[in-house]
Amino acid sequence: PKTDVVFLKVHKSASSTVMNILFRFGETHNLTFAFPLGGGYQLYYPRHFLARFVQGFSPQSPRRFNILCHHMRFLRPEVQKVVPSSAIYFSILRNPVQLMESSFVYYKGASAFSRVRSLEEFLSQPYHYYNPASGDRHYARNLMTFDFGFNPDGEVSPERVQLMLKAIEASFDLLLISEYFDESMVLLKEVLCWDLDSVVSFPLNSRDSSTKSPLPDSVVEKLKAWNRLDWEIYTHFNRTFWERIERDIGRERMRREVEALRQRQAELARTCLQGTGSVAPKDIKDSSLRPLQHGGARILGYNLKQGLDRELERTCRRLVTPELQYSSLLYKKQFPPQPP
């Protein structure tokens, strides 16, 4: 199994679920994480990543970490300073239309969104609300482009787009697609030589459907145009994702693998969870399993069954522990507080 991994955690793209997979694998195999200084949750995002943002890194004796997966704005030369050269780089993408709809609800407080009631209102005259100079502009335009380190307000010439896609391809071994999450996990398992249980998961940081609304076609087209750089990234890597599956796994084997993954997840859900799945935040009984609520979104969580034996309880709890709580737990393990 590969143990050195860089995951670019793109916002609102099922990346909290992927992070849970990496946290569990790292914990099980006693790997080290490149944590933000002081145990925060973001590597000084939205600034470009620098090696010195990592707890325990020093230029004099550069220490290499196994897993880098907290929110950052990608800058490869700096990332290379904190992970071994053998590390596998991957990220996950999402259709920019759904991504922006999700971002609008989640980051409602962002300057570009704070004065509008709906996405349609914003798109009717975006430059009335959007300021390219504001520090949180990236939440409102080409968010993936920004997370990959590029300018979200860059021009959209064919040459520029090609350069950007080539740069991403040169840095990343694998780009997954959140709409095909199970297929993505099978592909990830193959590339990392991990077993099935290492990539099972329950969806984390997902929204209650009551805050989701379908978008009219006219809005969809405007969203694509407004997020044109993201759209170019997404369509290109959605195509290469399927080409890779054809080449490395084949459709038939992929179908069997996905089936096995879903069966295992269903089995774990029956074993671990009360009821059939996720519940509203107010219904989560154990406060340590309550995810952070943000913006206008209602983020769902889980209740564990009572009376599980110790080993099983631990396995189940890890699967449903929200990102911030899990990150804090692992940070304290890696950097134990010094006794006074």
Side-chain angles (χ1 to χ4, degrees):
K2 307 269 197 299
T3 53
D4 301 322
V5 177
V6 173
F7 172 53
L8 177 64
K9 186 175 189 291
V10 169
H11 286 77
K12 314 313 306 156
S13 304
S15 53
S16 294
T17 309
V18 177
M19 209 163 168
N20 178 274
I21 287 169
L22 295 174
F23 281 167
R24 286 181 356 241
F25 187 86
E27 186 180 23
T28 306
H29 296 83
N30 253 334
L31 305 178
T32 56
F33 289 88
F35 283 108
L37 278 174
Y41 306 113
Q42 301 196 339
L43 291 151
Y44 288 78
Y45 187 87
R47 289 167 62 183
H48 271 106
F49 175 80
L50 296 174
R52 62 182 169 82
F53 296 163
V54 172
Q55 179 80 38
F57 175 84
S58 95
Q60 289 74 37
S61 57
R63 175 181 170 193
R64 306 287 181 177
F65 298 87
N66 300 115
I67 299 179
L68 173 61
C69 62
H70 286 73
H71 270 310
M72 63 171 158
R73 189 173 182 206
F74 190 68
L75 189 59
R76 186 180 169 118
E78 289 290 317
V79 169
Q80 287 171 321
K81 293 177 186 175
V82 299
V83 293
S85 56
S86 59
I88 300 280
Y89 287 64
F90 80 102
S91 185
I92 187 163
L93 306 172
R94 183 181 184 186
N95 184 316
V97 174
Q98 278 72 49
L99 187 137
M100 186 157 178
E101 188 273 331
S102 177
S103 191
F104 180 78
V105 175
Y106 202 77
Y107 300 111
K108 191 69 184 78
S111 54
F113 295 151
S114 58
R115 293 181 293 138
V116 292
R117 284 187 302 279
S118 68
L119 211 40
E120 288 162 72
E121 191 181 334
F122 173 79
L123 291 162
S124 64
Q125 40 176 354
Y127 282 109
H128 184 67
Y129 307 106
Y130 176 83
N131 174 6
S134 78
D136 62 359
R137 76 189 193 285
H138 51 283
Y139 292 123
R141 185 176 206 189
N142 289 318
L143 183 48
M144 293 192 288
T145 302
F146 183 87
D147 286 352
F148 277 96
F150 303 102
N151 175 8
D153 295 302
E155 52 152 336
V156 192
S157 65
E159 300 77 27
R160 193 200 143 79
V161 166
Q162 276 314 305
L163 278 172
M164 182 172 70
L165 297 176
K166 288 273 181 294
I168 294 172
E169 276 176 341
S171 294
F172 287 84
D173 298 286
L174 182 63
L175 285 145
L176 306 174
I177 302 291
S178 65
E179 283 80 9
Y180 303 102
F181 192 79
D182 293 343
E183 289 84 353
S184 291
M185 290 307 102
V186 170
L187 199 49
L188 182 66
K189 171 173 90 70
E190 289 289 303
V191 170
L192 297 175
C193 306
W194 289 7
D195 62 6
L196 182 70
D197 268 15
S198 296
V199 296
V200 298
S201 62
F202 297 144
L204 294 174
N205 206 30
S206 56
R207 264 197 300 157
D208 180 347
S209 55
S210 69
T211 60
K212 298 178 188 173
S213 47
L215 300 165
D217 290 348
S218 57
V219 172
V220 168
E221 289 313 311
K222 280 181 182 168
L223 274 173
K224 284 184 198 170
W226 176 248
N227 295 288
R228 180 67 193 282
L229 291 170
D230 271 11
W231 186 250
E232 295 286 351
I233 291 175
Y234 179 77
T235 49
H236 175 81
F237 288 109
N238 189 14
R239 193 179 70 247
T240 58
F241 174 79
W242 292 104
E243 285 168 2
R244 182 156 189 173
I245 285 173
E246 294 281 3
R247 190 185 73 225
D248 296 355
I249 298 180
R251 294 272 171 142
E252 185 45 43
R253 192 176 134 225
M254 175 55 87
R255 198 186 56 72
R256 292 197 305 273
E257 294 264 357
V258 165
E259 185 54 36
L261 178 66
R262 287 176 181 163
Q263 280 178 356
R264 182 67 183 124
Q265 282 169 178
E267 184 187 331
L268 279 164
R270 285 193 298 273
T271 305
C272 295
L273 304 178
Q274 284 182 31
T276 50
S278 52
V279 295
K282 65 174 179 23
D283 298 324
I284 301 167
K285 298 185 180 76
D286 181 342
S287 60
S288 70
L289 296 179
R290 200 169 289 145
L292 172 77
Q293 302 298 315
H294 198 79
R298 284 224 314 247
I299 306 298
L300 304 172
Y302 298 92
N303 285 319
L304 291 180
K305 276 190 176 155
Q306 301 296 302
L308 299 170
D309 72 58
R310 236 178 88 187
E311 198 47 44
L312 191 54
E313 209 272 347
R314 189 189 144 82
T315 301
C316 293
R317 179 170 287 275
R318 292 288 181 262
L319 278 162
V320 300
T321 300
E323 178 188 326
L324 304 192
Q325 286 93 311
Y326 208 156
S327 184
S328 298
L329 201 101
L330 294 173
Y331 178 81
K332 288 190 185 105
K333 200 169 161 179
Q334 191 167 312
F335 300 103
Q338 297 303 309

